[in-house]
Amino acid sequence: MADCLSAHEIGDTSGLPVLIIHGWELAGSAEELDFEPVFTTASGLRRIYVDLPGMGATPANNVKDLDEIYQRLVQFVDSRLGKSKFLIMGSSCGGYLARALAQKYIDQVDGLLLRVPLIEPKDDLRDVDPFQPLVQNEQLMASLSSEDKALIGNVHIQTTAYIECLKAKYEAVAPALEAADKQVLNPIRTDPQRYKLSLDLDSNENAKLLAPTLILCGRQDEVVGYRDSLRLLELYPRSTYVVLDRGRHDLPIDQTEVFGALVRDWLNRVEEWRAYK
């Protein structure tokens, strides 16, 4: 099944491919919002934003579990990228899938970026801290409309500026969330056996990816936390591991400069790796 996933390509068509995998119920367009401002200052990169089954412009086609989603990514890589070298980036569940692809294509992958990666598929086994505001303003929160409260949920930084940034981001990704095929996706997400890859990504027997890796977590990540990701330091010898204070699962909100600096540092390390390996 050639090119079984919809994808949007940006940049140099002859450049180094960068496969970018979004999170659950989102779309490649959500990744573009955060990464394209960084990539516009980089050259020689062919960014490929895929839409996973049942998300974005890719139909679900009766996908049954995360293994099938992974296999469709494999088909996409084989069809679109062949034997070429490439980079992989993944956010949340996309980070989980990115790790699996990096293991399969270990000789082709020259860099891996994991943003708030899903490590533990079972919700009740995740090491997640309870919600606690870092900057509290009860008067401001009480003044929000019911629509805004429903849109943004819990707010760690209760300032007007932060809330405006948060609303802007959620409004931008809302169309992708609304378009997701929940009839197909919800049964996968609510079943721990279906929302889990059969591959053992944490085995020490696996060959280790030696390419530069960036693991970017949020100190206040309310979905996957950050402590479960600590194990990745032993699995990726060339990894930079960053935990951002004020960082939620949807980072960056108002930390776009530090986010961009970290991604650019990773790209610089990739360039060095490719030049001297």
Side-chain angles (χ1 to χ4, degrees), residues 82-95:
K83 299 298 183 181
S84 68
K85 300 286 187 179
F86 63 101
L87 311 182
I88 307 180
M89 304 168 61
S91 299
S92 192
C93 183

Side-chain angles (χ1 to χ4, degrees), residues 24 118-129 188-193 195-196 222-225 228:
W24 194 252
L118 167 66
I119 304 297
E120 174 49 66
K122 293 184 179 180
D123 295 77
D124 58 355
L125 294 182
R126 297 175 187 174
D127 191 348
V128 178
D129 293 326
I188 298 175
R189 180 63 183 86
T190 56
D191 184 340
Q193 296 306 311
Y195 193 65
K196 179 181 181 180
E222 71 284 12
V223 178
V224 301
D228 289 333

